[in-house]
Amino acid sequence: MKRMLAVISLLLCLCLLGGCGFSEAVVNVLAEVILSEADTPADTAVDTAAPEDTPAPEDASAAPETDTDAEETLVRNPENIRFEDLEYVRCDLTEMEKHIETAVDAMQAGESYSGICDKLEVCLDDLDHFSTLYAVANIRNSQNLQDEYYAGEYSWISEQSAEVDRMFEGLYFACAASEHGEKLEEEYFWPGFCQDYEDPSKAHYTEKTVPLMQQEAALIVKYRAQTADPTVLWEGEEVSYNDLADSLPPYRQLEALLLYYDTYREPMAELLRELVLVRRELAEAMGYDSYEAMQYDFYYMRDYTPAQAGDYLADIRDHLVPLYCDLRSRGMGGGIGGSINEKTLFLTMKNLTEKLGGNWQEAYAFMEESGMCDLSYDSRKANLSFEMYLPEIDCPYLFVNPSGELGDVLTVVHEFGHFTDDYVNYGASETIDLAECFSQGLELLALNYLDGIVTQTQLDELYEEEMYSTLNCYIQQASFAEFENILYSLPEEDLTAEAFCEIFAEVAGEYGYLEPGYERLYQYIWMDIPHFYEAPLYVISYPVALDVAFQFYQAETENSGEGLALYIDTMENRGEKLLETVEQCHLESPFAPGRVKSVYEVFCDFYQLDNVADAA
């Protein structure tokens, strides 16, 4: 039973928080107010355990397991439980700790390998159970932010996750130190496990770090509560902002949005300030020179450096920002019309996956039959879209908060890319950079397989939207990464709402999307980016992974079916990290000289433009 284990704290942090771009409220306002004035169309997984293989043979001389044997024993959701029927009952952490202590005692007493395995199995089952309940609490809290029970449970379990990590880290040190350490590494963990856990003095979960992690988790819960149902004083009456925004005519929505920003600017800034400070303190306690270094290494396990990411951002500014500005000056890009309901979303995905066949068709059928998705509109839902894995029943879950517009098709396709990846690989460990390749890749490839499923007019609009959204993703997510780089380097006295607004407006201008005359609106966009609060320094993964996804698209446009085949090969033969997979699947590194320019040239060709960047 080899399991690729990851720390529980990552469950929220690596949660795939939906598509790229501004919040729905901002998009709607800009579409109705700004763009209409310009006479242009209106314009956006967590891996906690790998699959269970056959039990490890008790005899050390027994033949090793084969991939075929492992695949035959994998059973996804064996009891066919629908998500709504999953029972949520708080974990007994005292019992979990007893199980761990029993396993550690057995290892230190030199118990037989078979006896140690029996006790380790119990502990790892506890971990799967906790991880699954964490996901369930997160999903149900996201389904209804006003549900006090799941808000409380999500708060409790997220704050307990660091303590669970501490207990299991102790177990891993004991496994590595055991006389059976090498065999445990081979049968249960990953290559290099014993080396990773050879020195208990280098533990990450300590009396100093765990309280800081819990403090961070509590602040994230506070953020969710603060954004669940914000109220504003409108014409002398305190009202729900969400209800107000839904009821107002377009010409008054900007007024309401600015009132919301003015009302919550200071509270949101204070939350962000506290998060930055506790995260920097955590990085120091864990022995890192900066929070950025900690996130890249410990949380996101990236196989590229902040310096490489910085050069990549510079390439985006050099090549894609001039193109983006040129498109905006011509009134091109964006623009998608029509509405779509939940039933039609399901039907569109069913028809698309039948056309794609293979893993996609199988994964969709499973998703629909098991109820492992939520595509419904509800004003109480979190303004997020994501996919998560439920390790105890070995299946993924897809969550989308749709807008009711045709562009929801692209959002669902994005998350379904994550879903299929986790379905095919049984949630096996991978970094977020790699995970985003499969979501963004499916978005781009789907454009060539939606003909006959949607009308030609809708397909043209989806194609236009996806290409502009892809360019927008490069630009905006790069700018968000730039903002965070500055944010985590600010002196404590500069962590203020005024500074956040000033910096964000400057970055938006640098990346070409600060609309003249609407500086007051754009300066507040940092308040609407969940990643800044819940998944810090995540956003650079979007444009970096998008480069790999774009290689699928480029191959498909050159030869129909070739991009899809490349996507399948990469998904089925991937490693755990981005550059590792790029190398073994014979793709090109996003950081290779000329990659961003290559993407730029595809955009120029699509929009039939001259070499804008070179001319700029």
Side-chain angles (χ1 to χ4, degrees):
M1 178 196 273
K2 182 171 286 190
R3 307 194 191 198
M4 306 302 285
L5 300 169
V7 291
I8 301 303
S9 307
L10 299 184
L11 192 140
L12 175 63
C13 200
L14 300 191
C15 167
L16 300 167
L17 297 170
C20 311
F22 297 141
S23 70
E24 183 180 347
V26 176
V27 170
N28 288 340
V29 168
L30 295 179
E32 296 290 347
V33 180
I34 300 175
L35 296 177
S36 62
E37 291 180 2
D39 294 323
T40 59
D43 292 304
T44 203
V46 180
D47 302 320
T48 51
E52 297 187 358
D53 297 346
T54 50
E58 295 184 6
D59 182 1
S61 64
E65 301 169 328
T66 65
D67 290 341
T68 301
D69 291 338
E71 289 173 3
E72 288 175 354
T73 64
L74 295 173
V75 180
R76 185 181 285 106
N77 196 1
E79 298 180 12
N80 296 316
I81 301 173
R82 292 182 63 82
F83 180 78
E84 61 263 31
D85 297 327
L86 277 173
E87 184 179 12
Y88 178 91
V89 178
R90 276 193 184 185
C91 287
D92 187 339
L93 298 187
T94 301
E95 188 72 12
M96 178 189 291
E97 188 168 28
K98 288 180 181 177
H99 292 161
I100 292 174
E101 289 173 352
T102 299
V104 170
D105 289 344
M107 293 177 204
Q108 293 175 344
E111 191 170 325
S112 70
Y113 182 74
S114 174
I116 288 173
C117 287
D118 289 341
K119 295 173 178 62
L120 181 59
E121 294 278 358
V122 173
C123 296
L124 297 181
D125 286 344
D126 286 345
L127 179 61
D128 280 352
H129 184 59
F130 181 86
S131 302
T132 299
L133 290 183
Y134 194 171
V136 170
N138 189 5
I139 292 165
R140 289 181 178 163
N141 175 231
S142 299
Q143 288 177 321
N144 182 1
L145 292 175
Q146 298 176 34
D147 185 318
E148 294 183 1
Y149 175 75
Y150 278 108
E153 289 307 300
Y154 176 74
S155 174
W156 177 82
I157 201 165
S158 61
E159 289 185 36
Q160 297 304 315
S161 66
E163 179 61 22
V164 172
D165 286 336
R166 183 197 62 77
M167 289 191 287
F168 273 90
E169 187 177 50
L171 174 65
Y172 301 153
F173 281 122
C175 286
S178 164
E179 61 181 296
H180 304 293
E182 290 185 5
K183 191 174 181 183
L184 289 170
E185 174 180 313
E186 179 183 351
E187 300 292 347
Y188 282 90
F189 302 110
W190 58 88
F193 169 82
C194 288
Q195 184 176 354
D196 291 343
Y197 287 96
E198 67 180 353
D199 186 357
S201 70
K202 296 181 179 179
H204 292 103
Y205 298 91
T206 66
E207 293 181 357
K208 186 173 183 180
T209 62
V210 167
L212 292 171
M213 293 173 181
Q214 292 176 329
Q215 187 179 341
E216 179 186 18
L219 288 168
I220 291 172
V221 169
K222 185 177 178 181
Y223 161 75
R224 285 198 173 192
Q226 190 158 285
T227 57
D229 188 26
T231 60
V232 295
L233 191 64
W234 182 261
E235 296 179 347
E237 182 181 355
E238 187 172 359
V239 297
S240 163
Y241 169 72
N242 293 329
D243 292 344
L244 178 66
D246 287 341
S247 66
L248 287 175
Y251 70 91
R252 298 206 71 186
Q253 288 180 357
L254 179 60
E255 179 184 358
L257 181 59
L258 288 172
L259 176 60
Y260 162 75
Y261 285 149
D262 287 339
T263 302
Y264 284 91
R265 185 182 91 150
E266 293 300 331
M268 293 294 283
E270 180 58 27
L271 263 178
L272 190 54
R273 175 183 179 278
E274 291 182 46
L275 282 166
V276 169
L277 291 176
V278 74
R279 286 165 178 164
R280 292 204 297 221
E281 187 176 354
L282 176 60
E284 182 180 354
M286 291 181 71
Y288 287 93
D289 293 335
S290 68
Y291 182 68
E292 182 180 49
M294 187 189 85
Q295 287 297 86
Y296 269 64
D297 176 52
F298 181 71
Y299 274 96
Y300 296 138
M301 296 173 285
R302 289 174 170 140
D303 54 355
Y304 59 91
T305 66
Q308 286 176 291
D311 291 342
Y312 192 69
L313 294 180
D315 282 347
I316 289 174
R317 290 194 301 271
D318 289 345
H319 295 291
L320 298 184
V321 169
L323 171 63
Y324 187 71
C325 293
D326 185 73
L327 288 177
R328 288 171 65 86
S329 70
R330 298 168 186 245
M332 300 173 66
I336 191 165
S339 60
I340 191 168
N341 57 33
E342 181 182 353
K343 182 178 179 180
T344 307
L345 265 179
F346 273 110
L347 182 59
T348 301
M349 288 302 299
K350 179 181 177 66
N351 291 337
L352 173 62
T353 55
E354 286 178 353
K355 197 169 185 178
L356 292 171
N359 292 324
W360 293 283
Q361 186 174 8
E362 183 182 333
Y364 176 82
F366 169 80
M367 182 184 78
E368 191 171 38
E369 290 168 8
S370 61
M372 292 294 165
C373 61
D374 181 352
L375 308 185
S376 64
Y377 172 77
D378 191 323
S379 62
R380 298 170 300 175
K381 287 174 71 172
N383 189 30
L384 303 170
S385 295
F386 58 81
E387 178 268 349
M388 304 191 84
Y389 198 73
L390 309 174
E392 196 168 32
I393 56 176
D394 264 322
C395 64
Y397 183 91
L398 185 151
F399 176 96
V400 170
N401 187 0
S403 64
E405 298 176 348
L406 182 60
D408 289 338
V409 171
L410 299 174
T411 302
V412 177
V413 168
H414 177 104
E415 300 305 336
F416 188 74
H418 289 306
F419 188 98
T420 304
D421 176 32
D422 260 346
Y423 180 88
V424 168
N425 292 297
Y426 282 81
S429 178
E430 66 182 348
T431 63
I432 61 166
D433 303 279
L434 185 57
E436 285 298 333
C437 297
F438 302 114
S439 56
Q440 297 181 115
L442 190 60
E443 264 190 85
L444 288 161
L445 290 173
L447 298 172
N448 292 323
Y449 293 88
L450 282 168
D451 58 300
I453 297 174
V454 297
T455 68
Q456 187 59 49
T457 298
Q458 289 175 324
L459 181 58
D460 291 343
E461 290 178 338
L462 285 170
Y463 212 116
E464 179 77 11
E465 171 69 9
E466 177 61 17
M467 293 305 290
Y468 188 73
S469 177
T470 299
L471 176 59
N472 209 39
C473 177
Y474 274 111
I475 300 298
Q476 288 190 353
Q477 300 304 321
S479 77
F480 296 165
E482 193 85 56
F483 174 77
E484 285 194 292
N485 290 344
I486 298 170
L487 176 67
Y488 282 93
S489 65
L490 288 175
E492 182 175 347
E493 61 270 19
D494 290 341
L495 293 171
T496 65
E498 183 179 0
F500 299 160
C501 289
E502 181 179 342
I503 293 166
F504 198 93
E506 288 178 358
V507 170
E510 184 179 358
Y511 281 82
Y513 61 85
L514 181 64
E515 191 75 26
Y518 288 89
E519 290 83 1
R520 185 184 171 203
L521 175 66
Y522 279 86
Q523 67 176 339
Y524 290 128
I525 300 301
W526 56 269
M527 294 171 57
D528 290 302
I529 311 302
H531 301 73
F532 294 165
Y533 294 87
E534 299 199 26
L537 301 181
Y538 180 117
V539 292
I540 186 61
S541 294
Y542 283 118
V544 169
L546 187 51
D547 183 273
V548 175
F550 218 74
Q551 292 180 53
F552 302 150
Y553 172 77
Q554 287 172 297
E556 185 71 24
T557 55
E558 291 170 6
N559 188 7
S560 179
E562 190 172 308
L564 199 62
L566 183 59
Y567 180 107
I568 294 170
D569 177 69
T570 306
M571 182 170 63
E572 293 183 346
N573 298 292
R574 63 171 175 76
E576 290 184 40
K577 298 185 178 182
L578 181 71
L579 298 187
E580 169 195 1
T581 299
V582 162
E583 182 176 355
Q584 68 188 41
C585 292
H586 308 293
L587 296 162
E588 196 169 356
S589 168
F591 308 110
R595 265 309 302 165
V596 174
K597 187 171 183 181
S598 171
V599 170
Y600 157 76
E601 288 168 351
V602 173
F603 280 121
C604 282
D605 184 62
F606 175 78
Y607 287 109
Q608 299 181 338
L609 297 174
D610 295 328
N611 201 320
V612 180
D614 287 351

